[in-house]
Amino acid sequence: MTREHTQEREIEMSQKEKVPEMLDSLGIEYKMITHKAVCTIEEMDELGIFTDGLVCKNLFLRNANGKIHYLVCCSENKAVDLVKLRSELGCSRLSFGSDERLQKHLSLSQGAVSPFGVINNEDHEVVVVLDRDLKAEKGLIGFHPNDNTAFVWLKHDDLVKYIKHFGNDIVYVNI
């Protein structure tokens, strides 16, 4: 396949196609289901998506001067205290990243935020923050594949393998 053809294929591929293709290329086992578009945990619950494992929520945050961006992942039932998280990360005040920043750094929109977004973070500057409880999870954990019309289930270690493949830093915290 020529470089030009490869670039055309990447442009044509949707977010929902890119993630499973990458998981396959990394030899990662996963289960993907498709569903109607959902933007909240409550909408996912109504669809009965929670049956295969631990559903995770994802927050795209930035530090006070906007130079560091974080993608925080934790169980859907946990409340994220930004003051406590700031202390754990040893950073300045945290706030939510704007839609423009989310698009710029992860090529994602609200409702589709996911650690799989590192596939679009070519400069590897977004720090992925995982709740320590995810590391201890023995079953499957689930995320949108950068598209809110599907859901991917995989093991924690495989998620870490995926993120490390793209060169983004991973930090564990207690949420």
Side-chain angles (χ1 to χ4, degrees):
M1 190 181 298
T2 67
R3 182 171 185 234
E4 183 176 294
H5 182 72
T6 301
Q7 288 173 336
E8 287 174 11
R9 171 78 176 129
E10 288 175 5
I11 290 169
E12 292 172 7
M13 289 178 63
S14 72
Q15 293 280 359
K16 192 166 45 175
E17 296 170 317
K18 284 169 60 175
V19 171
E21 185 173 276
M22 181 54 65
L23 292 170
D24 289 340
S25 74
L26 294 171
I28 293 174
E29 289 185 34
Y30 64 95
K31 176 182 176 183
M32 186 165 127
I33 59 170
T34 58
H35 52 75
K36 72 176 187 171
V38 293
C39 293
T40 67
I41 295 291
E42 292 77 20
E43 291 173 334
M44 290 170 42
D45 191 24
E46 290 172 13
L47 294 178
I49 293 173
F50 294 3
T51 59
D52 291 318
L54 179 68
V55 173
C56 295
K57 66 179 170 186
N58 307 283
L59 307 174
F60 181 67
L61 305 173
R62 56 170 275 211
N63 70 345
N65 65 11
K67 293 191 180 200
I68 302 174
H69 295 85
Y70 301 95
L71 179 59
V72 179
C73 308
C74 65
S75 169
E76 56 87 19
N77 60 7
K78 287 198 172 187
V80 179
D81 180 335
L82 295 185
V83 174
K84 180 181 172 199
L85 182 58
R86 170 188 171 196
S87 176
E88 286 239 16
L89 293 172
C91 67
S92 59
R93 183 182 54 83
L94 292 169
S95 61
F96 288 92
S98 66
D99 292 341
E100 293 79 18
R101 285 176 185 270
L102 181 57
Q103 185 63 42
K104 176 183 176 187
H105 294 286
L106 295 174
S107 299
L108 299 177
S109 59
Q110 284 189 14
V113 178
S114 161
F116 294 126
V118 298
I119 196 170
N120 302 317
N121 186 226
E122 293 179 11
D123 54 12
H124 321 293
E125 67 181 11
V126 174
V127 177
V128 179
V129 179
L130 300 176
D131 181 26
R132 278 196 180 92
D133 287 347
L134 295 181
K135 193 175 196 175
E137 182 64 36
K138 298 299 181 209
L140 300 176
I141 56 176
F143 305 91
H144 286 303
N146 302 334
D147 180 301
N148 66 353
T149 63
F151 212 71
V152 171
W153 297 99
L154 74 168
K155 293 195 175 287
H156 164 268
D157 291 348
D158 289 329
L159 175 66
V160 170
K161 178 179 179 180
Y162 178 93
I163 295 166
K164 286 184 175 181
H165 173 78
F166 293 101
N168 293 72
D169 290 336
I170 299 173
V171 175
Y172 286 93
V173 298
N174 292 315
I175 294 181

